[in-house]
Amino acid sequence: MGETYKIDFAIKTLPRFLAAAAAGEKTFTIRKNDRPYEAGKIVRGYMPGFPQIFCDFVITYVLTAEEFPQGLQPGYCVCGIQLLDGEQSRAVLAAYEVIKKIEETLNFKAEQSEYFSAPRTQKATNYWAQAWYEHAAKIHDLINGNTYCGEAAK
Protein backbone atom coordinates (compact mmCIF):
# COMPACT_ATOMS: atom_id res chain seq x y z
CA MET A 1 0.00 0.00 0.00
CA GLY A 2 2.83 2.40 0.80
CA GLU A 3 0.67 4.69 2.90
CA THR A 4 0.89 4.93 6.64
CA TYR A 5 -2.22 4.60 8.72
CA LYS A 6 -3.16 4.32 12.38
CA ILE A 7 -4.35 0.95 13.68
CA ASP A 8 -7.52 1.51 15.71
CA PHE A 9 -7.99 -2.06 16.94
CA ALA A 10 -5.96 -5.28 17.01
CA ILE A 11 -8.10 -8.41 17.18
CA LYS A 12 -7.28 -12.12 17.53
CA THR A 13 -8.65 -14.12 14.65
CA LEU A 14 -8.64 -17.86 14.05
CA PRO A 15 -6.06 -18.69 11.36
CA ARG A 16 -8.63 -20.07 8.90
CA PHE A 17 -10.77 -16.93 9.17
CA LEU A 18 -7.79 -14.57 8.84
CA ALA A 19 -6.57 -16.50 5.79
CA ALA A 20 -10.03 -16.32 4.17
CA ALA A 21 -10.14 -12.55 4.77
CA ALA A 22 -6.56 -12.13 3.51
CA ALA A 23 -7.52 -14.02 0.33
CA GLY A 24 -10.51 -11.72 -0.17
CA GLU A 25 -13.02 -14.56 0.31
CA LYS A 26 -14.32 -13.28 3.65
CA THR A 27 -15.36 -9.63 3.54
CA PHE A 28 -16.91 -9.42 7.00
CA THR A 29 -16.21 -10.34 10.60
CA ILE A 30 -18.60 -11.07 13.44
CA ARG A 31 -17.32 -9.59 16.68
CA LYS A 32 -18.37 -9.01 20.23
CA ASN A 33 -19.44 -5.36 20.13
CA ASP A 34 -17.06 -4.36 22.93
CA ARG A 35 -15.21 -1.62 21.02
CA PRO A 36 -16.34 1.44 19.11
CA TYR A 37 -16.37 -0.24 15.70
CA GLU A 38 -17.38 2.12 12.91
CA ALA A 39 -16.82 2.60 9.20
CA GLY A 40 -13.40 4.03 8.40
CA LYS A 41 -11.60 2.52 11.43
CA ILE A 42 -8.58 0.32 10.78
CA VAL A 43 -8.52 -3.19 12.25
CA ARG A 44 -5.44 -5.40 12.46
CA GLY A 45 -6.41 -9.07 12.52
CA TYR A 46 -3.70 -11.38 13.84
CA MET A 47 -3.22 -15.04 14.63
CA PRO A 48 -3.31 -15.85 18.37
CA GLY A 49 0.21 -16.11 19.74
CA PHE A 50 1.70 -14.59 16.61
CA PRO A 51 1.03 -10.85 16.49
CA GLN A 52 3.62 -10.60 13.70
CA ILE A 53 1.27 -12.57 11.40
CA PHE A 54 -1.41 -10.03 10.58
CA CYS A 55 -3.45 -8.22 7.97
CA ASP A 56 -4.88 -4.74 8.19
CA PHE A 57 -8.44 -4.01 7.09
CA VAL A 58 -10.62 -0.93 6.92
CA ILE A 59 -14.13 -1.32 8.33
CA THR A 60 -16.59 -0.50 5.56
CA TYR A 61 -19.89 -1.12 7.38
CA VAL A 62 -21.17 -2.08 10.84
CA LEU A 63 -24.42 -3.90 11.59
CA THR A 64 -25.28 -4.21 15.29
CA ALA A 65 -27.56 -6.62 17.13
CA GLU A 66 -29.81 -3.68 17.99
CA GLU A 67 -30.32 -3.04 14.26
CA PHE A 68 -30.83 -6.72 13.43
CA PRO A 69 -32.02 -8.57 16.56
CA GLN A 70 -33.42 -11.50 14.56
CA GLY A 71 -29.97 -12.30 13.17
CA LEU A 72 -27.41 -11.35 15.81
CA GLN A 73 -27.06 -12.21 19.46
CA PRO A 74 -27.22 -9.21 21.81
CA GLY A 75 -23.81 -7.61 22.23
CA TYR A 76 -22.47 -8.66 18.80
CA CYS A 77 -21.96 -6.91 15.48
CA VAL A 78 -20.99 -7.68 11.91
CA CYS A 79 -18.27 -5.50 10.38
CA GLY A 80 -17.76 -5.31 6.64
CA ILE A 81 -13.99 -5.27 5.99
CA GLN A 82 -11.69 -4.48 3.09
CA LEU A 83 -8.03 -5.57 2.89
CA LEU A 84 -5.52 -2.71 2.91
CA ASP A 85 -2.19 -4.38 2.03
CA GLY A 86 -1.52 -7.19 -0.44
CA GLU A 87 1.95 -7.91 0.96
CA GLN A 88 0.43 -8.66 4.36
CA SER A 89 -2.07 -10.92 2.65
CA ARG A 90 0.66 -13.01 1.02
CA ALA A 91 2.48 -13.40 4.34
CA VAL A 92 -0.71 -14.51 6.16
CA LEU A 93 -1.57 -17.03 3.43
CA ALA A 94 1.95 -18.50 3.53
CA ALA A 95 1.79 -18.79 7.34
CA TYR A 96 -1.63 -20.42 7.11
CA GLU A 97 -0.31 -23.06 4.69
CA VAL A 98 2.30 -24.02 7.32
CA ILE A 99 -0.36 -24.16 10.04
CA LYS A 100 -2.55 -26.41 7.86
CA LYS A 101 0.40 -28.76 7.29
CA ILE A 102 1.02 -28.93 11.04
CA GLU A 103 -2.64 -29.65 11.72
CA GLU A 104 -2.90 -32.30 8.99
CA THR A 105 0.41 -34.04 9.71
CA LEU A 106 -0.02 -34.23 13.46
CA ASN A 107 -3.81 -34.35 13.61
CA PHE A 108 -3.51 -31.27 15.80
CA LYS A 109 -6.12 -28.56 15.76
CA ALA A 110 -6.64 -26.08 18.55
CA GLU A 111 -10.27 -25.55 19.38
CA GLN A 112 -11.77 -22.09 19.06
CA SER A 113 -12.13 -21.84 22.84
CA GLU A 114 -8.40 -22.53 23.24
CA TYR A 115 -7.51 -19.71 20.87
CA PHE A 116 -9.63 -17.17 22.65
CA SER A 117 -9.32 -18.24 26.28
CA ALA A 118 -5.68 -17.20 26.58
CA PRO A 119 -5.33 -13.81 28.28
CA ARG A 120 -3.87 -10.86 26.35
CA THR A 121 -0.43 -11.04 27.91
CA GLN A 122 3.11 -11.79 26.85
CA LYS A 123 2.78 -15.10 28.71
CA ALA A 124 -0.13 -16.07 26.45
CA THR A 125 1.89 -15.13 23.35
CA ASN A 126 4.80 -17.23 24.59
CA TYR A 127 2.42 -20.14 25.24
CA TRP A 128 1.14 -20.16 21.66
CA ALA A 129 4.60 -19.62 20.20
CA GLN A 130 5.89 -22.58 22.23
CA ALA A 131 2.95 -24.80 21.25
CA TRP A 132 3.40 -24.13 17.53
CA TYR A 133 7.19 -24.49 17.83
CA GLU A 134 6.77 -27.93 19.41
CA HIS A 135 4.43 -29.01 16.62
CA ALA A 136 6.80 -27.66 13.97
CA ALA A 137 9.67 -29.60 15.61
CA LYS A 138 7.59 -32.79 15.43
CA ILE A 139 6.96 -32.24 11.73
CA HIS A 140 10.65 -31.65 11.14
CA ASP A 141 11.47 -34.92 12.87
CA LEU A 142 8.74 -36.82 11.02
CA ILE A 143 9.94 -35.51 7.66
CA ASN A 144 13.51 -36.49 8.45
CA GLY A 145 12.52 -39.95 9.67
CA ASN A 146 13.53 -39.27 13.26
CA THR A 147 11.56 -40.23 16.31
CA TYR A 148 10.46 -37.08 18.08
CA CYS A 149 12.41 -36.91 21.33
CA GLY A 150 10.45 -34.12 22.97
CA GLU A 151 7.21 -34.31 24.88
CA ALA A 152 4.91 -37.07 23.66
CA ALA A 153 2.22 -36.06 21.18
CA LYS A 154 -1.13 -35.59 22.84
Side-chain angles (χ1 to χ4, degrees):
M1 181 170 166
E3 298 176 38
T4 58
Y5 44 85
K6 176 184 165 277
I7 305 301
D8 294 300
F9 310 109
I11 56 175
K12 281 192 277 190
T13 305
L14 288 171
R16 69 178 181 268
F17 296 145
L18 184 60
E25 299 164 359
K26 181 176 176 281
T27 58
F28 65 92
T29 186
I30 300 172
R31 306 299 304 180
K32 191 173 231 179
N33 197 4
D34 58 353
R35 301 173 191 196
Y37 296 116
E38 61 184 59
K41 298 265 182 156
I42 307 296
V43 175
R44 174 165 285 174
Y46 68 93
M47 293 184 187
F50 294 93
Q52 69 275 21
I53 302 174
F54 64 85
C55 268
D56 297 335
F57 302 90
V58 62
I59 297 174
T60 58
Y61 185 83
V62 178
L63 177 66
T64 66
E66 292 76 27
E67 296 170 299
F68 187 48
Q70 342 43 338
L72 289 169
Q73 290 183 12
Y76 283 82
C77 66
V78 176
C79 296
I81 55 173
Q82 181 178 9
L83 182 66
L84 287 176
D85 190 325
E87 286 299 315
Q88 293 172 351
S89 174
R90 285 185 277 284
V92 164
L93 293 172
Y96 183 60
E97 287 304 312
V98 171
I99 288 170
K100 281 191 339 189
K101 283 184 182 9
I102 290 171
E103 291 176 347
E104 292 165 7
T105 303
L106 298 173
N107 195 23
F108 166 79
K109 191 165 192 166
E111 296 300 321
Q112 182 169 330
S113 61
E114 293 178 285
Y115 276 106
F116 294 106
S117 63
R120 295 179 188 169
T121 64
Q122 184 61 38
K123 185 175 181 182
T125 298
N126 291 343
Y127 167 78
W128 281 106
Q130 182 65 30
W132 284 113
Y133 173 80
E134 287 174 6
H135 290 293
K138 290 176 191 176
I139 285 181
H140 177 270
D141 287 344
L142 289 170
I143 289 169
N144 290 305
N146 301 329
T147 302
Y148 180 66
C149 298
E151 194 174 305
K154 296 179 180 178

